[in-house]
């Protein structure tokens, strides 16, 4: 019994002397202290009782004395177990809480890493399909959209116009103002094309100073009208901006436009592109700054189309 009393005393000493290391709450420390005191007293009673055989008779009958001693022994064992187990269980609970918090933090970091990876992947995919100067689709992306438009036309029996547009005298702009000014003109042309598009239309920089457009669900009867609309939007107002001389300097930009219609002038990408390109070439032969539709009979100096 003396060993039990020493055990409780040692636990009480640990509870208060090493309270910073045990990391118990005030309530847990108070309950543990009461258990240690109760266990120590119970152990002392059980230890002293056999030395004073006449003392219990003053308070208890002989039949109840054995039960009291047995209860004291069992209580001492239970209290000893509780005084040693409570800090361990508390430490395990705190460690589990820390592990769960750390696991949650790692999951959140992993989720953020996945989101960042997806964002970078989308940016790279977008960059692979976007022209860096104008922000429009590049040649590769335009060919994909043209294939999609042809497939949709074959499925839905719908049509579209393929428009090729070339900036007139673009080399002169580069030679006069420099390539930075030429890039600025291309950016402004692209911006004006964006404002001219309707839902379902596609605009791209086909290459160099050439742009290509897909005008969705537009009949051949409106081909020249749509080409003229684009030509006027690009031509007016004059261009100005970085690289184009003084701030008050304005540069007039015109375009030669060729138009071909899906179904009438071809149903394959290469055929449609060739027809629109030929119509654009005819617009240049006509003196530039005009629109030509594939198959339209127009007379030029020394030529018949």
């Amino acid at each position: 019994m003396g060993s039990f009393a020493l055990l409780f005393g040692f636990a009480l000493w640990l509870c208060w002397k090493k309270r910073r290391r045990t990391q118990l709450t005030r309530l847990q420390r108070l309950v543990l202290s009461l258990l240690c005191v109760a266990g120590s007293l119970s152990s002392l009673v059980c230890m002293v009782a056999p030395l004073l055989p006449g003392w219990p008779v003053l308070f208890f009958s002989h039949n109840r004395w054995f039960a009291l001693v047995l209860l004291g022994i069992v209580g001492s064992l239970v209290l000893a177990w509780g005084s040693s187990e409570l800090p361990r269980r508390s430490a395990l609970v705190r460690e589990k809480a820390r592990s769960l918090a750390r696991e949650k933090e790692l999951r959140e970091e992993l989720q953020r890493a996945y989101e960042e990876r997806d964002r970078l992947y989308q940016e790279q995919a977008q960059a692979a399909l976007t022209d860096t100067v104008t922000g429009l689709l590049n040649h590769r992306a335009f060919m994909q959209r043209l294939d999609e438009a042809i497939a949709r036309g074959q499925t839905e029996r719908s049509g579209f116009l393929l428009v090729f547009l070339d900036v007139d005298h673009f080399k002169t702009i580069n030679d006069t103002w420099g390539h930075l000014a030429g890039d600025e003109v291309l950016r402004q042309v692209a911006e004006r094309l964006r404002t001219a598009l309707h839902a379902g239309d596609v605009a791209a920089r086909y290459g160099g100073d050439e742009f290509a457009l897909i005008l969705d669900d537009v009949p051949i009867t409106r081909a020249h009208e749509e080409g003229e609309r684009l030509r006027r939007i690009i031509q007016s107002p004059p261009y100005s901006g970085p690289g184009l001389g003084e701030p008050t300097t304005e540069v007039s930009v015109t375009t030669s436009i060729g138009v071909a219609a899906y179904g009438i002038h071809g149903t394959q990408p290469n055929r449609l592109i060739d027809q629109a390109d030929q119509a654009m070439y005819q617009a240049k032969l006509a003196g530039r700054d005009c629109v030509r539709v594939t198959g339209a009979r127009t007379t030029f100096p020394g030529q018949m189309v």
Side-chain angles (χ1 to χ4, degrees):
M1 292 299 174
S3 62
F4 285 120
L6 292 176
L7 177 63
F8 285 113
F10 180 70
L12 185 62
W13 177 79
L14 286 177
C15 178
W16 292 98
K17 187 68 175 178
K18 306 294 183 180
R19 56 181 178 273
R20 291 184 179 180
R21 295 184 180 180
T22 54
Q23 298 180 351
L24 296 175
T25 64
R26 185 182 298 273
L27 179 60
Q28 289 175 336
R29 190 176 293 110
L30 179 61
V31 172
L32 183 60
S33 300
L34 293 176
L35 289 176
C36 291
V37 172
S40 299
L41 292 177
S42 178
S43 300
L44 290 175
V45 169
C46 294
M47 181 177 63
V48 173
L51 301 177
L52 300 173
W55 174 73
V57 180
L58 299 176
F59 302 95
F60 305 98
S61 65
H62 179 73
N63 293 332
R64 292 182 177 179
W65 175 242
F66 178 77
L68 180 62
V69 173
L70 182 61
L71 180 61
I73 294 173
V74 173
S76 299
L77 293 174
V78 172
L79 291 175
W81 177 84
S83 63
S84 61
E85 187 68 12
L86 183 60
R88 188 182 72 86
R89 292 293 178 90
S90 178
L92 289 176
V93 170
R94 288 194 302 273
E95 184 63 26
K96 184 176 181 180
R98 284 195 296 268
S99 299
L100 291 176
R102 180 57 180 166
E103 181 180 356
K104 181 180 178 181
E105 183 180 351
L106 291 175
R107 288 181 181 274
E108 292 176 351
E109 291 180 359
L110 185 61
Q111 181 64 29
R112 287 194 294 269
Y114 283 147
E115 292 175 355
E116 181 67 13
R117 182 202 63 181
D118 293 340
R119 184 185 66 82
L120 292 175
Y121 176 79
Q122 291 176 359
E123 289 181 355
Q124 292 176 354
Q126 183 67 22
L129 300 176
T130 304
D131 178 65
T132 57
V133 175
T134 63
L136 298 177
L137 297 179
N138 58 20
H139 182 276
R140 174 186 176 187
F142 178 77
M143 295 304 297
Q144 293 177 357
R145 299 297 291 272
L146 180 59
D147 289 338
E148 294 172 1
I150 291 175
R152 185 169 58 253
Q154 293 173 346
T155 302
E156 301 176 3
R157 302 295 181 181
S158 59
F160 62 87
L161 299 180
L162 178 62
V163 180
F164 267 39
L165 181 154
D166 184 84
V167 179
D168 295 331
H169 305 294
F170 185 71
K171 185 177 183 302
T172 302
I173 297 176
N174 279 335
D175 293 342
T176 303
W177 306 105
H179 290 280
L180 292 179
D183 289 345
E184 180 62 25
V185 167
L186 292 177
R187 275 190 290 269
Q188 293 188 31
V189 169
E191 186 60 32
R192 297 185 187 193
L193 287 176
R194 288 191 189 94
T195 64
L197 297 180
H198 298 108
D201 294 346
V202 177
R205 184 185 180 190
Y206 194 76
D209 58 345
E210 290 187 9
F211 295 84
L213 296 90
I214 298 174
L215 304 184
D216 188 45
D217 200 22
V218 178
I220 185 63
T221 55
R222 288 177 49 197
H224 192 273
E225 175 187 346
E226 287 295 315
E228 281 293 330
R229 181 177 68 89
L230 294 172
R231 187 188 64 81
R232 288 192 299 269
I233 289 175
I234 294 173
Q235 184 181 23
S236 180
Y239 289 68
S240 62
L244 294 174
E246 299 296 329
T248 58
T249 302
E250 294 182 340
V251 178
S252 296
V253 175
T254 62
T255 55
S256 299
I257 298 176
V259 185
Y262 168 76
I264 298 176
H265 302 132
T267 57
Q268 298 300 317
N270 292 338
R271 176 63 177 174
L272 279 173
I273 290 173
D274 180 68
Q275 291 295 304
D277 187 64
Q278 288 296 324
M280 184 181 68
Y281 177 70
Q282 297 301 327
K284 285 186 174 295
L285 290 179
R288 297 181 172 86
D289 190 22
C290 61
V291 178
R292 290 295 178 264
V293 179
T294 299
R297 299 185 61 83
T298 306
T299 304
F300 307 113
Q303 280 227 344
M304 177 72 71
V305 179

